[in-house]
Structure formats: structure tokens, C-alpha cells
Amino acid sequence: MKNLTKDQKYNRAKEKEVERNFKKQKEREAKLSNKLPRKVLCVSIKQEAFEKLELAAKRIKTSNWKMLSHILFKIHERKPNMRIKGIKTKRYKNSTGKKQVNYKISERAWKNLDILSKADGKSKARLVQELIMAYEIPSIESLEKKERELAE
């Protein structure tokens, strides 16, 4: 075994530290690449719409913002031929909501909501409230059936 000088020992230690940091950096980048870009949605909705959103999130065992994003992803299923036809004046809700919703939803869900808002000429708050109220919460039995199918 060679006797290393003080500088050589220092350089080897630094090289090993760089390798460890590089591995950690790769792990961090892998985690960050999985994250979706999100935008903030601030709307005021009725209390019953908020409670329905919370109930749906609890049934599916997810967070409220993920549930809201999921509902907004389904816009195209409900209205497949959305087209913006000229500039419409927006119709806002005639009453203020009881519950302020501030969530960071996925960017795709935000764009779906924005396109629908421009196409229908309704405010985002009104659309979010209508979509939540129209959303059919899956039954517990159907969720259990899906879990069993995934387990098999």
C-alpha cells in the first residue's frame, strides 16, 4: 500500500464526496421530474358543494386538490365539442359562496376549466360549483370491486 500525501488524501475524500452528492442529485431530479406543474385556483363555492368535494376525496382516499383536478379532467367527457365562439360576456354567480377554495390544481385541469369558461361564458367559480354538484361520487361497493380487480 502506498503512503499517500496529505493533499492526495484530501483529493480522494473530495472525489468521494462529489460522487455521493451526484447520486443524491440524481435521486432528487427523479423525484422532481414526477411532479406535475400546478396552478392556483381561488374560487368561492357553496358549502354543500365543498362538502361533496370532501366526501368524494375521502371515498377515493385522496386530497381535495387531487379530487378537484380529477373532476376538471372529466370536462371533456361531459362536453366533448367545446369551441370558443367569439367573445362572450361572462356570467358570474348571482350569490357569493360560503366556502373559499384555494387549491393548487394541475395545469391541465386549469386549462380545461379556462377553455370551458371561455366557451360557455361562465365564471370559473360557477363552473367549479356546477361540476362538483354534477359529479357522481362512486359507491363504496364499486371502489371495493376495483380494489379487488387490481389486487388480482
Side-chain angles (χ1 to χ4, degrees):
M1 181 150 176
K2 292 193 274 183
N3 288 335
L4 300 174
T5 65
K6 187 169 105 177
D7 292 335
Q8 289 172 328
K9 289 178 185 176
Y10 177 80
N11 289 338
R12 280 197 177 176
K14 283 295 177 186
E15 286 173 3
K16 288 181 180 179
E17 185 181 338
V18 167
E19 286 178 23
R20 283 194 303 268
N21 288 340
F22 187 67
K23 287 178 184 175
K24 287 180 183 176
Q25 184 178 358
K26 278 187 174 180
E27 291 171 5
R28 277 190 229 117
E29 287 175 357
K31 288 179 184 176
L32 289 174
S33 66
N34 292 337
K35 289 189 176 181
L36 295 171
R38 297 180 357 187
K39 287 185 105 174
V40 177
L41 176 71
C42 299
V43 292
S44 186
I45 59 174
K46 288 182 181 176
Q47 183 69 30
E48 64 183 89
F50 181 74
E51 289 169 0
K52 187 171 182 179
L53 177 68
E54 280 188 324
L55 177 67
K58 283 179 186 172
R59 281 241 179 109
I60 298 178
K61 297 175 186 161
T62 186
S63 59
N64 289 353
W65 73 266
K66 284 184 181 177
M67 190 67 227
L68 185 59
S69 291
H70 175 74
I71 291 171
L72 295 176
F73 284 145
K74 301 227 174 216
I75 288 175
H76 289 295
E77 292 175 10
R78 294 186 64 223
K79 299 188 178 194
N81 54 355
M82 285 190 301
R83 288 198 174 67
I84 301 170
K85 300 173 186 170
I87 299 171
K88 292 183 177 179
T89 56
K90 282 195 177 182
R91 290 178 45 225
Y92 293 95
K93 293 191 317 178
N94 56 1
S95 65
T96 58
K98 302 284 184 198
K99 195 73 178 169
Q100 181 74 27
V101 175
N102 298 319
Y103 293 131
K104 279 188 171 181
I105 60 172
S106 67
E107 203 167 296
R108 191 174 129 219
W110 171 265
K111 287 179 183 175
N112 285 355
L113 182 63
D114 193 43
I115 290 169
L116 184 63
S117 174
K118 289 175 183 173
D120 281 1
K122 294 180 181 176
S123 68
K124 288 178 180 66
R126 180 182 283 219
L127 288 172
V128 166
Q129 187 171 297
E130 288 176 2
L131 289 168
I132 290 171
M133 294 306 287
Y135 181 72
E136 294 178 19
I137 301 172
S139 66
I140 297 170
E141 294 82 27
S142 65
L143 291 173
E144 289 173 354
K145 184 179 176 184
K146 282 183 184 178
E147 286 177 11
R148 275 188 259 122
E149 287 174 0
L150 290 174
E152 291 177 356

